Amino acid sequence: MEEKKVMSYEDKLKELDSQFGDWWKHGFDVPEMTANLYPYEKMFSPIRINNLTVKNRLVMAPMGNICMAEETGRPNDKMIKYFEERAKGGVGLITSGLIPVSFGIDKSLYELGDLSYFPRIDRSRTVYAGWRDLAAKVHAHGAHFFVQLTPGLGRVGNPQCLVNSLQFPRSSSFNPNWYMKDVPCLRLSDKSLKKIIKNVGQGSADAKGLNLDGVYLHGHEGYLLEQMTNPAFNRRVMGKYADYERFGIDMIKEIRRRVGKDYPIMYRIDLSLMLNVTYKEKMKTVSPLKKFKDERTPEETLTYMKNLVEAGVDMFDVDLGCYDNWWLPHPPSSMPAGCYLDIAEIVKKYFAANGIKTNKGLEVPVVAVGKLGYPDLAEKALRDDKCDMVMLGRPLLADPDWCNKAYAGKVEDIRPCIGCQEACINEFVEGGHPQCAVNPRTSYEDEFSQEIPKADKSKKVAVIGGGPAGITAASVLLQRGHKVDLYEKSTRLGGNLIAGSIAKIKYEIKNYLKFLEKTVEELEKNSNFKLLLGTEGSLETLKQGGYDVIITATGTSPVRPGSIEGINGENVVAAIDLLQNPSLAEGKKKIVVIGGGVVGAETAYWLTFEYDKEVKVVEMDKYIMNHTCTANRGHIIHYLEEAGVELLNCTKLVKIVGNKVVVSQNKHKNVPNPYNTWAPILPENVENPMDLLRKIKDESVERELDADLVVLAMGVRSSNKLFFDCVANNVAPEVYNVGDSFKGAKIFEATRSAYRKARSI
Ligand SMILES: Cc1cc2nc3c(=O)[nH]c(=O)nc-3n(C[C@H](O)[C@H](O)[C@H](O)COP(=O)(O)O)c2cc1C
Ligand code: SF4
C-alpha cells in the first residue's frame, strides 16, 4: 500500500493561505445556524484547568475593553454589566480584553494627561474594587474569569506618544511602528524588560487576590510579548533576551512564583505569524516586511510551547497571523468559519505525540478560536478532537445568550455575528468603545435592561421599510406594547441585505437575513403587528392610516451621476442589480467596476472568484475600501491581488464609450500602493506628519479600459423623501427617520438608531 505523505507544518500553512481566498471550493462549509448535532453533549461537559473546573467548553475570547473603564483604569458599571450579561448567558470561562501592566515603560499606553483608555489592574486600591465587583457578579452566574495581561503594545501601539510626550515608542528591537512606518521604536533595555516581568507577576498576584480565576498571557498577533518572543521582531544580538524564548519563559516562572502552583495560567499564541506564507516574494523587497522575514517557524513555536508548559502554563489558545496580515488574527466575514481548527489540532496532536502534560500531570487543553459561532461546527470540532475548548469572541457580542440558546437547542434564535467588525473593532479604532452592529445593547447593558419596558401609552405606529432598521424598530415597538404596521414595498424583507447576501463571502449576512425573517415570523404571532409586504407606505396611505407615530426606515438608493457620458449605456449596470441578477454578466468576460468602496471591491471579488471574470476596479479615492476595518479590507485586497485583479486608485471615470471605459489615472509616485495590506489607513482625524512630505501631485493620464460590462458601485444616498414629505404634511403627531435613510449605509448605524428611537417611544 502506498504510504500517505505527512504534510509538513509549513505546507499546511501554505495550503491554508491558498484556500482562504475561495475557501468554499476547498472543503470549508458555508455554515448555517442548524442544530443537527443537538444535544451538544461535548460542548456542555466540564473541563479541568489546573485546580479549576469550568462548567462547559466555551470560552469568551478576549476583546479589548477599550474606553469601557474609568480613566483611572477601574472597571465601571458599563464594563461589569457587559461581562455579567455574558456570564448570565451561560459561557463557562470569560477572559478580559488586554490589560497592560507596563505603563511608563511602553510609551504608547498613556494618552495626553496620563489618561488610559485601558482598564488597569496595576494601580492597587484605586482599581481593585471594580475587579472584585466584576468577579463577584460573574461568579454568581457560574462563570469563571481570567484576566488577559499584556506586557504592552510595542510597535503596534499608538505612536502619538512622540507628539504627546516627545517619547519614541518602544519594542524588542528597532522595529518600525505599524501605524506610521516612519516612526521607529526604540529597543527596550533588559532592565525595562525585567521590570515588565515583575509587573506581570504582580498583576497576576493581584488578579488572584481579587478573586479572579486565572491569568492569561497576550502572546499572539505581534504585540510586545510576541515582539520579544518571535525572531521576526526580536533581532537582539546581545543580552539575556537575545534568546527569543527567554522573556516568555521568565515571565511564566515569575507568575508561578507569585501565584503558587494551583492557579491557572493560560497563554495565547499564534502557531505562525504567516508573514512569509502571506507575502512570499514581497518579504525580500517591501519595507518594512523584509525586516521580519526570520519569523518563528511552526516547529519552533511548538518547542517554545513545550517549554512554556514546563515553566508553568496550563492551557493555550492558538491562532495565526499578526497586525501585518490582520485578517488572520481578526478573521472577517469573508473568511471561512472555523478557519483555525486545523491549527488547534496540530498543537493538540503535538502535545499528545510528545507526552506533554502540565505540571499538574494533566493534558494541556487547547482552545480553538476563529469564527466558531455555529453550534454544530463547534460541537463537531470538540467531538472530532480538534480542540478541547471553543472560544467565542464576536458571537458573544452579537448574542450574549449564545451558550444558553445552544444548550436549550434554540439555535435558530441565536442572533448571528456578521463578521463586519464595524462596531466592535472599527468603533474603537475610530475612537469609541466596542459595540455590535447587530446587537444595539452590547456595551450599553448598563443603560438598557434586557427586558424592554412597556410604554405608558400604547400608540399606533407605522414603520416604513423592512430592512434591518425597520425590523429592529418594529420588534422593539411591539415589545413596548404599541400597535405596529410594517410596510415593505418589495415582496421580500431585508432591504439592501438581499443583494448584500448573494456572494459566497457574504454567508454571514445571509444567516442574519434568515434571523431577521424569523424575527418577523415571531412578530406575526402578535395581533398588534401587521406585515404589509408589497405595500408602499405612501404619503396618502399613511395619511389615511391615522397613525400616532411614523418611522421611516427607507434605506438608500445607488448614486449614478447622470452627467457622465455613457453612464446610462446598455452595458452599464448597478452592482446591486447585477448581484440580484448575475445573468446580466453572462457572456461578458472583461468587467470594469467603478467604485472601490466595500460594495465595489466585494462585487469585484464575487465576479472574480465565483464567475471567473477579468475584473478591474476604478476608485477616485487614495485608497480602495477606505473606512473599512483593516482586517476586512486586507482579506479582500490580498486575494484580489493574488487573482490578478487590477486596482486603480486615484483614478476618475471620464466617460464610457461603447465597450471602452475612459479613466483619468493619477500616476504620481506618491499615489499609495492599492495592494498595501500590511499597513492601516489612519482615521481621518489622525495626521501623519510625514504625509506632508509625500504630497500627491496631479500627474493624471487618460487610459482606456476594455469593458464588456461596466458595474457601478459609486456609493449610495439616503432615501429620505418620504420622511420630509411626512413632516411637511403633518401626517402624524410624531415622525422619525432612522437607519440608512437618515445616514447610510451601515447595519451598525441602522440597528442602533432604530433600537434607541423605538425604545424611547
Ligand atoms: C473588538 C475586538 C477586540 C479584540 N481584542 C482582543 C484583545 O484584547 N486581546 C486579544 O488577544 N484578542 C483580541 N481580539 C481577538 C479575539 O479575541 C478573537 O481572537 C477574534 O475576534 C476571533 O474570534 P471570533 O471569530 O470568535 O470573534 C479582539 C477581537 C475583537 C472583535
Ligand atoms: S460588530 Fe459585526 S463583527 Fe463585530 S460582533 Fe457585531 S456583528 Fe460581529
Side-chain angles (χ1 to χ4, degrees), residues 160-407:
Q160 287 203 353
C161 49
L162 197 52
V163 184
N164 292 348
S165 53
L166 299 180
Q167 297 270 5
F168 278 97
R170 306 292 153 102
S171 178
S172 44
S173 299
F174 288 97
N175 287 312
N177 178 267
W178 179 69
Y179 293 95
M180 296 185 190
K181 301 289 178 260
D182 312 291
V183 176
C185 298
L186 301 188
R187 177 183 179 278
L188 282 159
S189 66
D190 280 13
K191 191 170 157 219
S192 295
L193 292 166
K194 278 184 197 148
K195 176 79 174 92
I196 293 179
I197 290 176
K198 283 270 170 219
N199 289 359
V200 175
Q202 183 61 47
S204 306
D206 290 338
K208 189 177 175 195
L210 298 172
N211 295 331
L212 303 172
D213 305 291
V215 287
Y216 179 24
L217 278 308
H218 188 220
H220 80 146
E221 204 181 336
Y223 283 92
L224 186 56
L225 180 49
E226 169 139 59
Q227 286 160 44
M228 286 304 303
T229 55
N230 197 315
F233 307 114
N234 179 350
R235 299 180 302 279
R236 301 162 86 94
V237 285
M238 280 190 314
K240 188 171 183 192
Y241 301 113
D243 168 1
Y244 69 82
E245 290 197 6
R246 196 68 270 146
F247 183 72
I249 302 286
D250 282 4
M251 184 171 291
I252 298 303
K253 286 183 181 162
E254 174 67 4
I255 297 172
R256 262 291 161 248
R257 188 180 76 77
R258 295 301 307 276
V259 298
K261 61 181 187 350
D262 298 336
Y263 194 65
I265 303 177
M266 176 172 173
Y267 194 106
R268 173 161 247 208
I269 200 162
D270 48 81
L271 184 67
S272 166
L273 293 170
M274 289 274 282
L275 288 173
N276 285 294
V277 169
T278 305
Y279 290 116
K280 306 172 184 81
E281 286 303 303
K282 285 198 179 97
M283 293 301 287
K284 293 185 195 143
T285 54
V286 171
S287 179
L289 296 174
K290 55 189 178 188
K291 271 197 165 206
F292 308 144
K293 59 181 184 312
D294 289 330
E295 62 190 319
R296 213 173 48 208
T297 65
E299 286 79 4
E300 286 168 340
T301 302
L302 292 166
T303 307
Y304 175 49
M305 291 170 87
K306 173 171 87 60
N307 295 337
L308 286 168
V309 172
E310 257 169 41
V313 167
D314 294 301
M315 152 190 200
F316 289 96
D317 73 288
V318 59
D319 64 1
L320 290 176
C322 59
Y323 267 67
D324 307 76
N325 47 12
W326 220 37
W327 62 93
L328 294 173
H330 291 278
S333 32
S334 48
M335 282 276 284
C339 37
Y340 306 133
L341 285 173
D342 288 355
I343 299 300
E345 189 182 33
I346 285 177
V347 176
K348 232 178 117 51
K349 282 193 171 155
Y350 171 81
F351 285 160
N354 292 282
I356 296 166
K357 298 262 167 81
T358 70
N359 290 341
K360 275 280 152 87
L362 301 171
E363 281 181 12
V364 187
V366 177
V367 185
V369 64
K371 301 195 69 171
L372 288 164
Y374 299 88
D376 279 345
L377 178 69
E379 175 71 9
K380 184 163 186 315
L382 291 163
R383 287 189 195 172
D384 290 352
D385 232 12
K386 297 230 169 208
C387 55
D388 300 291
M389 293 182 90
V390 165
M391 190 173 252
L392 303 172
R394 293 162 295 169
L396 294 193
L397 298 186
D399 195 335
D401 282 327
W402 193 103
C403 309
N404 284 346
K405 287 177 183 170
Y407 179 71

Side-chain angles (χ1 to χ4, degrees), residues 507-559:
Y507 64 102
E508 295 194 309
I509 295 284
K510 194 167 272 161
N511 289 335
Y512 180 51
L513 191 53
K514 267 195 201 149
F515 171 83
L516 289 178
E517 283 164 351
K518 169 123 196 313
T519 305
V520 174
E521 258 171 58
E522 290 300 312
L523 299 184
E524 283 190 283
K525 293 178 188 159
N526 187 325
S527 59
N528 281 337
F529 178 76
K530 213 190 298 165
L531 175 64
L532 297 144
L533 268 187
T535 311
E536 187 162 356
S538 67
L539 201 59
E540 250 348 277
T541 318
L542 297 176
K543 262 187 202 164
Q544 284 162 15
Y547 292 106
D548 302 307
V549 185
I550 308 272
I551 297 186
T552 55
T554 37
T556 54
S557 51
V559 169

Side-chain angles (χ1 to χ4, degrees), residues 572-629:
V572 183
V573 61
I576 190 166
D577 295 330
L578 179 63
L579 282 157
Q580 291 176 92
N581 187 2
S583 66
L584 295 172
E586 247 168 47
K588 323 260 181 181
K589 185 69 185 166
K590 295 186 175 185
I591 301 187
V592 174
V593 176
I594 310 292
V598 180
V599 174
E602 288 183 347
T603 305
Y605 201 97
W606 171 69
L607 289 166
T608 306
F609 286 100
E610 291 189 46
Y611 290 92
D612 199 22
K613 305 291 182 189
E614 275 173 34
V615 184
K616 290 186 175 20
V617 179
V618 173
E619 169 57 52
M620 60 194 244
D621 190 26
K622 256 165 89 172
Y623 302 109
I624 305 289
M625 291 178 85
N626 202 349
H627 306 294
T628 311
C629 177

Side-chain angles (χ1 to χ4, degrees), residues 550-702:
I550 308 272
I551 297 186
T552 55
T554 37
T556 54
S557 51
V559 169
R560 186 186 279 236
S563 57
I564 293 177
E565 186 185 329
I567 198 117
N568 293 317
E570 264 181 19
N571 62 338
V572 183
V573 61
I576 190 166
D577 295 330
L578 179 63
L579 282 157
Q580 291 176 92
N581 187 2
S583 66
L584 295 172
E586 247 168 47
K588 323 260 181 181
K589 185 69 185 166
K590 295 186 175 185
I591 301 187
V592 174
V593 176
I594 310 292
V598 180
V599 174
E602 288 183 347
T603 305
Y605 201 97
W606 171 69
L607 289 166
T608 306
F609 286 100
E610 291 189 46
Y611 290 92
D612 199 22
K613 305 291 182 189
E614 275 173 34
V615 184
K616 290 186 175 20
V617 179
V618 173
E619 169 57 52
M620 60 194 244
D621 190 26
K622 256 165 89 172
Y623 302 109
I624 305 289
M625 291 178 85
N626 202 349
H627 306 294
T628 311
C629 177
T630 304
N632 298 45
R633 182 177 173 271
H635 183 241
I636 297 291
I637 290 181
H638 177 70
Y639 285 97
L640 284 178
E641 182 181 20
E642 297 263 299
V645 173
E646 191 182 354
L647 302 176
L648 297 90
N649 51 333
C650 293
T651 302
K652 282 191 193 127
L653 170 64
V654 177
K655 58 185 172 185
I656 303 164
V657 186
N659 54 3
K660 298 278 181 212
V661 175
V662 182
V663 297
S664 165
Q665 183 178 20
N666 191 348
K667 292 280 199 180
H668 187 255
K669 65 177 179 3
N670 288 342
V671 167
N673 172 0
Y675 301 104
N676 184 337
T677 51
W678 51 92
I681 302 171
L682 298 180
E684 268 172 8
N685 59 333
V686 177
E687 189 170 55
N688 182 349
M690 296 307 287
D691 281 349
L692 299 174
L693 306 175
R694 283 191 289 252
K695 285 226 161 74
I696 302 176
K697 294 194 185 138
D698 187 4
E699 288 184 4
S700 296
V701 292
E702 265 199 14

Side-chain angles (χ1 to χ4, degrees), residues 394 397-398 416-424 435-438:
R394 293 162 295 169
L397 298 186
C417 161
I418 54 173
C420 62
Q421 323 218 83
E422 278 174 11
C424 50
Q435 300 169 47
C436 178
V438 297

